[in-house]
Amino acid sequence: MNIENSIKLYQRALELIPGGVNSPVRAFKSVGGNPRFIKKGFGSKIYDVDGNEYIDFIGGWGPHIFGHKPDFIIKAIEEALENGTSFGAPTEAEVRIAELICELVPSIEMVRLVNSGTEATMSAIRLARGFTQKDKIIKFEGCYHGHSDSFLIKAGSGALTFGVPTSPGVTKGTATDTLTAKFNDINSVKDLITKNKGQIAAIIIEPVAGNMGVIAGEPDFLRALRDICNEEGIVLIFDEVMTGFRLAKGGAQELYGIKPDLTTLGKIIGGGMPVGAFGGRKEIMLMLAPSGPVYQAGTLSGNPIAVSAGLASLEYIKNNLQVYNDLEIKSNNFVLKIKEKLHQIGKNLALNRVGSMLCLFFCKGKVRCFEDALNSDTQKFSTFFNYLLNKGIYLPPSQYEAIFISTAHTEDELNYTVEKMEEAFKIIFKKE
Ligand code: HOZ
């Protein structure tokens, strides 16, 4: 595969941008090789600056549930552009998207738009702290809630990919206020609450973790979290930046039938543009400025172009709810075919899937928490990734990110991917 132009661009970028990229995982450091510089995307495919075509399983890291450049999103953006790009004043589209979010996600009674998932989670915990007048939060090992200080402690995603789950630069004070529990282990949460009685403002969790690979929260565990939060007056925050509008119209909380107090959203809510949101119980949301004293603001929050793309996505979802069933069937068949190939070569890897999010761990046994995820052989993942990349299949360049299936992926493309995965498995397991 000729990647001459990507190589040249990377060399130029390395001189000017730390690590040559604007978000660490893109640098391919954990899998080796030169990152591909992407020129365009259409449907299930992306194309690099050397003209190579790839079946894309990143989907912009989640937003592109309908594939790249869906007509209805592009049309909405073009129409919005006719009117200008940014006003720093309220627009009708913000009201319409707020109505739609509250309709699709019933636990959200009021919502605030921001520009990214990181902003959403960062603001949600400030709000929870302001509401409860308590300082500490509980997060889970391997969960990733964006890159704000409070969350870069035993975090997943890029932080985990590069072995710095707790980042330098986070002050001791901040770290002291962030307690970490074990995913899917309610006793670890109970212990922290007992040791920090009356001091916990919020518990934040990805109900389906997507940043230490994909790991589903177990229903009993999530229900127990809800109960504990009720008993202790703790704000339960579901980080649905990845899972919101991805697993169901109402996100993971709809699948599990659990209502968090606050929800954070991103990715699909922006239709590929920079939008995030947080919302939830009215009495909590009313604490937010200018209704209440908890400050939060943003020059580009509710940006009309970004909101137009999000609105088009959510309207499409509302009118086409069968997409979730279609994605479930497609993704399940895909995983079954991969498992069949593994079975044929006598291997049994951990393959986790929830709806159209999935992850293959190079280890045996179940992966149900961070520690289990760390058992995966990342060297094997690297070989797997690079083999597929050279066959025109673009997986996330990290063991600890999610593979996303979109409505645009065709059966032929998925079958081709399974075929190439089988070839990769044979190479990886040849010596065993
Ligand atoms: N942390 C993001 C995925 N969970 C990666 C974002 C990016 O590199 O674009």
Side-chain angles (χ1 to χ4, degrees):
M1 186 179 272
N2 172 25
I3 56 162
E4 206 179 306
N5 291 329
S6 277
I7 292 173
K8 282 186 195 147
L9 280 172
Y10 190 41
Q11 291 314 312
R12 277 168 63 194
L14 282 168
E15 295 299 316
L16 303 163
I17 304 170
V21 291
N22 284 310
S23 190
V25 198
R26 298 177 196 180
F28 279 25
K29 281 216 158 150
S30 69
V31 288
N34 196 97
R36 303 308 196 256
F37 281 65
I38 303 302
K39 184 169 182 186
K40 60 181 182 179
F42 185 73
S44 57
K45 304 269 181 62
I46 49 175
Y47 302 83
D48 70 18
V49 284
D50 291 283
N52 300 306
E53 176 183 291
Y54 305 89
I55 305 170
D56 176 27
F57 287 96
I58 300 185
W61 299 97
H64 299 308
I65 189 168
F66 312 113
H68 293 271
K69 267 188 88 182
D71 287 353
F72 53 92
I73 294 182
I74 300 303
K75 185 166 168 272
I77 293 172
E78 283 170 354
E79 281 172 12
L81 271 173
E82 292 285 313
N83 293 327
T85 54
S86 183
F87 310 116
T91 61
E92 182 184 344
E94 289 165 82
V95 184
R96 285 171 51 211
I97 201 169
E99 284 167 349
L100 206 44
I101 293 167
C102 294
E103 181 186 334
L104 296 176
V105 190
S107 72
I108 301 185
E109 295 167 354
M110 293 188 102
V111 64
R112 168 66 53 91
L113 296 183
V114 290
N115 300 290
S116 68
T118 289
E119 261 192 69
T121 51
M122 173 184 92
S123 309
I125 54 156
R126 183 183 308 139
L127 179 59
R129 284 174 166 149
F131 178 73
T132 56
Q133 313 247 309
K134 294 170 189 164
D135 287 344
K136 297 192 177 179
I137 59 160
I138 295 179
K139 74 175 281 288
F140 292 86
E141 290 172 6
C143 279
Y144 178 73
H145 306 288
H147 59 86
S148 79
D149 286 1
S150 301
F151 299 123
L152 282 183
I153 295 162
K154 296 196 181 167
S157 190
L160 176 57
T161 305
F162 300 115
V164 282
T166 304
S167 173
V170 174
T171 65
K172 283 202 186 83
T174 305
T176 314
D177 282 338
T178 301
L179 311 172
T180 48
K182 189 171 170 188
F183 197 75
N184 276 330
D185 180 348
I186 201 63
N187 289 329
S188 70
V189 180
K190 286 182 180 164
D191 276 359
L192 288 175
I193 292 177
T194 309
K195 287 181 188 139
N196 297 274
K197 198 76 185 159
Q199 298 176 64
I200 314 286
I203 296 181
I204 184 164
I205 187 164
E206 299 175 78
V208 173
N211 289 289
M212 49 176 157
V214 174
I215 305 183
E218 289 161 6
D220 285 351
F221 165 71
L222 293 174
R223 270 193 293 270
L225 273 188
R226 178 64 280 177
D227 292 344
I228 291 179
C229 286
N230 289 347
E231 285 155 21
E232 301 286 333
I234 296 171
V235 174
L236 178 62
I237 307 173
F238 273 10
D239 178 348
E240 298 233 40
V241 169
M242 273 191 176
T243 52
F245 312 108
R246 160 68 58 184
L247 300 183
K249 72 167 174 48
Q253 56 194 270
E254 179 180 315
L255 286 187
Y256 287 98
I258 297 172
K259 269 191 172 187
D261 299 303
L262 291 177
T263 300
T264 58
L265 296 165
K267 304 202 189 267
I268 291 175
I269 200 181
M273 299 286 276
V275 182
F278 61 103
R281 275 168 49 201
K282 196 167 189 166
E283 63 169 326
I284 305 179
M285 292 303 290
L286 283 173
M287 290 287 289
L288 207 56
S291 309
V294 178
Y295 198 71
Q296 188 280 327
T299 299
L300 288 170
S301 294
N303 171 268
I305 311 302
V307 169
S308 72
L311 197 49
S313 293
L314 300 195
E315 273 165 355
Y316 186 89
I317 285 171
K318 184 183 165 186
N319 297 322
N320 295 276
L321 290 178
Q322 84 288 350
V323 294
Y324 295 107
N325 198 30
D326 297 348
L327 280 171
E328 170 66 26
I329 293 170
K330 193 193 278 193
S331 309
N332 187 40
N333 284 341
F334 180 54
V335 165
L336 287 178
K337 284 177 190 167
I338 302 171
K339 283 188 173 162
E340 196 183 309
K341 295 294 180 198
L342 282 165
H343 182 71
Q344 282 166 8
I345 57 172
K347 292 287 160 193
N348 183 18
L349 302 182
L351 227 169
N352 287 0
R353 178 188 73 85
V354 182
S356 54
M357 289 170 67
L358 56 113
C359 179
L360 200 148
F361 296 93
F362 283 87
C363 59
K364 292 187 189 115
K366 285 197 170 149
V367 175
R368 45 185 298 280
C369 67
F370 180 63
E371 263 174 26
D372 297 342
L374 292 182
N375 287 332
S376 185
D377 184 332
T378 50
Q379 206 49 51
K380 285 185 176 146
F381 177 82
S382 263
T383 309
F384 186 63
F385 170 84
N386 280 300
Y387 185 85
L388 294 176
L389 188 70
N390 285 315
K391 299 292 174 193
I393 296 163
Y394 198 117
L395 298 185
S398 160
Q399 169 68 80
Y400 304 112
E401 300 283 353
I403 291 173
F404 291 106
I405 309 287
S406 75
T407 57
H409 284 109
T410 65
E411 201 174 330
D412 280 353
E413 287 161 0
L414 296 177
N415 287 341
Y416 171 78
T417 304
V418 173
E419 201 183 290
K420 297 299 148 194
M421 283 182 172
E422 182 188 18
E423 290 171 13
F425 291 142
K426 284 184 177 158
I427 292 168
I428 290 166
F429 296 119
K430 196 166 64 189
K431 294 186 208 105
E432 289 181 11

